[in-house]
Amino acid sequence: MVGGLPTDLQFDLQKYGTMAFPESIPFSPAGDKLPITQGDFRDFAADPIAEMRKLHAEHGSLALLQDGFKKVAFAFGPVWNQPVLSNAQDFHSMFFAIRGSRKSSLRRLTSGLLSMNDDEHREHRRMLMGPFARKSFEKYFEGINQLTHDMLNDWQVGETRDILAEMTQFMLRVTSGMLFGLDNPEFAYNLGHMLHEWVQMNHEIGTGAFVADAKYTDRYEDLLNLSDELEIQLKTLLEMKRQDPGDGNDVLSILLAAYAEEKIVDENKLMGHIALLFAAAHLTTAHTFTWTFLLLSQHPDVMQELHAELQAGVLADPFNPNSTETLLDRILKESMRVLPASAYSQRICARDLTLGPLQLAKGTPVVFSQYMTHHMAALYPEPDKFIPDRWLQIKPSPYAYLPFGTGPRMCIGGPLAMVILKMVIPQVLSRFKLSAIPGSTINGRVISTMLTPTSTVPLLLEEQDGNFRSAPVEGSIHQLVEFPAEAKSARRAA
Ligand code: HEM
């Protein structure tokens, strides 16, 4: 041990990080005072970010919250993200919501990649990666462009649109088309709609995975019923695809073919994958669009520069998710840093193990957090501010910047999500100027694991004239991100 850190971690940080050492260790190396605190898991469920901030302020980057006999460990920042996220053998993945009894449709629908570990996870992940490799997803571009045109043709100058609803609708159509095929858009859309409700419900009562509270579990019965209906629809779809694979370009057709080739015919697993892919893809990307448009509406100077870049025909390379070359690259990096769609996630200890000074029993959940890591001042000075050009100077390690997670369970759709964002944002901004409505209330909070706008996000659509002004908004958004002083003082005056 050097300076209280295991030497291999220090070595790894040197290997990956080009920045100052992230933050000091919160306890003495002698481990005389363990970061254990009594608490109520319901507080975490009600407001995960507030509770994680409290734990971080009291205990530093490692804490153990105990409620009765139950314990949950919290690991914040790159030092602890590294072991928790790279050691998939000891830290198992667990589906974020309640999974239902063994024979329930809910259990089968939640049997996708997130519920798999070890060899099974590796094998299925390899198969699922196919449709998300660059050469595969180029064939979705035409459909995405068409859906973008359809959305923009529906928008009128002078209207106010809830950009959250718009981008959720848009991603619902994009995801349904990619997963199930654009040749039968109506069926795909209806199924997508049902999946959307199912995902929302999973997130809403997902917190029940941590706490047994009627507030979260009363709707469990509804979730079971919806799962039954959804399973019937998915089975119909599988049958339809087997009868008539269409052009075979959608993810489901590719997976069906791969499954047939590898002679794995567990239909339940396939349905679990489809449900998870839908769940993982559409809301995360819709929220990233929404947060990015909101941030731009509050930062006219950044928007002005982006407009000039787009006017000059400088486009971000959609196939290089790590690029910081164009302003749009940096805007997306910074948007996903300051308001990451996935705010935290968890692992389960697969055996009794030690994390720093903590002895964790098999089965103990370990929470890690993108939001907390991305808001550490030692890694990102003025962490609550949206400063895209900070990316010209920094190159954080994969454990310090992880909007798509990192390690063997890193998001398989990240590159595709970046392509969609980089394709669509310039098209929207070349047709419309999006401005906030003065005095509108924008709320956001973590629901289950996702950082979600919990109000509408109304933006005014205007002719794109290249003149940008911000407008002050109200709401809990100000607890998540700091807007420029101008917008804040106008907010106080309003
Ligand atoms: C901006 C959009 C997205 C964000 C922010 C995001 C974020 C994440 C994060 C943080 C994880 C890791 C969770 C963990 O370690 O516990 C993850 C995993 C995953 N994501 Fe995404 N995601 C996005 C889009 C997508 C898309 C478009 C797809 C598929 C079409 C997708 C499919 C998956 C899958 C299947 C996993 C599980 C990987 C595994 O367990 O091996 N995601 N995502």
Side-chain angles (χ1 to χ4, degrees):
M1 302 269 283
V2 182
L5 257 189
T7 38
D8 53 342
L9 286 193
Q10 291 202 339
F11 173 74
D12 229 48
L13 281 165
Q14 276 163 18
K15 184 168 125 198
Y16 289 115
T18 54
M19 355 192 20
F21 185 70
E23 62 168 5
S24 60
I25 281 287
F27 43 84
S28 74
D32 44 334
K33 187 170 185 307
L34 296 181
I36 300 178
T37 189
Q38 297 291 323
D40 187 333
F41 290 158
R42 281 173 300 187
D43 294 340
F44 175 71
D47 190 345
I49 288 184
E51 194 61 18
M52 287 192 290
R53 277 184 180 146
K54 212 165 88 189
L55 285 169
H56 186 246
E58 279 171 23
H59 302 285
S61 52
L62 205 58
L64 190 73
L65 184 62
Q66 183 157 3
D67 183 352
F69 291 110
K70 280 210 253 168
K71 290 174 187 163
V72 177
F74 288 81
F76 304 127
V79 172
W80 305 116
N81 289 340
Q82 204 266 356
V84 172
L85 292 174
S86 63
N87 180 352
Q89 254 179 336
D90 285 347
F91 295 96
H92 273 180
S93 167
M94 189 186 85
F95 194 71
F96 60 86
I98 296 172
R99 292 205 55 207
S101 64
R102 267 176 208 288
K103 291 196 172 144
S104 65
S105 54
L106 177 58
R107 174 66 74 111
R108 289 188 289 276
L109 289 175
T110 55
S111 67
L113 212 54
L114 276 186
S115 306
M116 294 178 174
N117 285 291
D118 301 326
D119 286 349
E120 189 186 32
H121 172 254
R122 268 191 294 279
E123 198 179 302
H124 282 255
R125 186 176 159 101
R126 184 178 52 76
M127 245 182 296
L128 283 179
M129 297 285 278
F132 297 101
R134 175 178 165 167
K135 65 175 173 15
S136 302
F137 64 61
E138 271 174 10
K139 54 180 156 275
Y140 312 135
F141 288 3
E142 204 186 309
I144 295 169
N145 268 327
Q146 186 56 50
L147 290 168
T148 311
H149 283 129
D150 292 350
M151 175 177 75
L152 296 180
N153 285 340
D154 192 40
W155 291 5
Q156 305 291 329
V157 165
E159 279 182 335
T160 296
R161 291 262 177 169
D162 172 11
I163 210 72
L164 170 64
E166 293 297 316
M167 298 323 296
T168 306
Q169 265 311 306
F170 173 74
M171 278 312 297
L172 203 152
R173 289 182 190 279
V174 168
T175 316
S176 310
M178 280 184 329
L179 292 185
F180 314 131
L182 286 164
D183 47 333
N184 193 345
E186 207 47 39
F187 185 89
Y189 179 77
N190 287 338
L191 182 58
H193 207 269
M194 200 182 222
L195 269 159
H196 172 73
E197 260 185 67
W198 182 79
V199 173
Q200 291 271 55
M201 217 187 256
N202 262 296
H203 275 290
E204 278 162 29
I205 72 162
T207 320
F210 271 117
V211 291
D213 186 316
K215 187 170 146 203
Y216 300 105
T217 50
D218 270 359
R219 293 182 67 214
Y220 182 54
E221 213 46 48
D222 296 340
L223 180 60
L224 288 179
N225 292 337
L226 184 57
S227 301
D228 287 346
E229 277 177 54
L230 184 58
E231 190 177 47
I232 293 169
Q233 288 302 314
L234 280 171
K235 279 192 170 148
T236 310
L237 175 73
L238 282 181
E239 209 32 62
M240 275 163 60
K241 281 278 161 202
R242 283 200 179 105
Q243 304 281 335
D244 176 12
D247 60 11
N249 274 345
D250 55 282
V251 174
L252 184 54
S253 301
I254 297 169
L255 288 180
L256 268 172
Y259 268 58
E261 233 168 72
E262 308 235 356
K263 299 190 176 48
I264 299 171
V265 277
D266 186 339
E267 196 167 291
N268 294 332
K269 293 269 158 65
L270 192 51
M271 283 196 296
H273 287 321
I274 290 296
L276 172 70
L277 285 172
F278 198 92
H282 86 302
L283 283 176
T284 45
T285 315
H287 294 162
T288 305
F289 268 120
T290 306
W291 291 133
T292 305
F293 285 130
L294 175 69
L295 286 164
L296 287 173
S297 80
Q298 293 296 310
H299 294 82
D301 48 340
V302 177
M303 189 53 236
Q304 195 81 53
E305 218 184 304
L306 175 63
H307 179 70
E309 189 178 90
L310 296 176
Q311 288 286 97
V314 179
L315 287 177
D317 175 2
F319 292 113
N320 184 355
N322 294 320
S323 167
T324 52
E325 211 170 291
T326 69
L327 181 56
L328 182 57
D329 289 322
R330 300 192 290 279
I331 286 170
L332 283 169
K333 278 219 173 275
E334 184 68 348
S335 165
M336 285 191 270
R337 180 193 69 78
V338 80
L339 294 172
S342 172
Y344 78 89
S345 193
Q346 66 194 325
R347 297 288 185 266
I348 299 291
C349 296
R351 58 177 180 86
D352 292 351
L353 52 82
T354 303
L355 186 63
L358 297 177
Q359 304 291 325
L360 303 177
K362 182 177 172 182
T364 307
V366 181
V367 168
F368 66 94
S369 167
Q370 286 86 348
Y371 185 90
M372 294 300 292
T373 303
H374 292 180
H375 284 252
M376 285 178 164
L379 294 171
Y380 304 100
E382 301 193 281
D384 297 339
K385 289 188 179 165
F386 174 73
I387 310 174
D389 278 352
R390 72 167 81 234
W391 289 90
L392 291 169
Q393 269 100 45
I394 59 171
K395 199 168 179 288
S397 81
Y399 300 106
Y401 181 69
L402 58 165
F404 294 110
T406 191
R409 307 201 77 104
M410 189 174 178
C411 178
I412 63 172
L416 173 62
M418 292 307 287
V419 167
I420 298 174
L421 289 157
K422 287 182 186 179
M423 269 172 72
V424 175
I425 289 175
Q427 292 190 52
V428 172
L429 295 177
S430 69
R431 292 259 308 256
F432 293 97
K433 181 165 87 171
L434 305 181
S435 315
I437 309 294
S440 55
T441 300
I442 313 285
N443 292 327
R445 102 179 156 77
V446 176
I447 296 183
S448 176
T449 58
M450 284 193 306
L451 185 55
T452 311
T454 49
S455 61
T456 58
V457 181
L459 294 181
L460 176 64
L461 308 179
E462 291 174 288
E463 201 87 60
Q464 185 51 277
D465 60 2
N467 293 314
F468 303 98
R469 284 182 56 234
S470 67
V473 296
E474 304 288 333
S476 65
I477 186 68
H478 296 286
Q479 289 160 24
L480 299 169
V481 56
E482 193 182 326
F483 290 149
E486 198 189 321
K488 246 199 304 185
S489 53
R491 178 163 59 95
R492 272 191 218 104

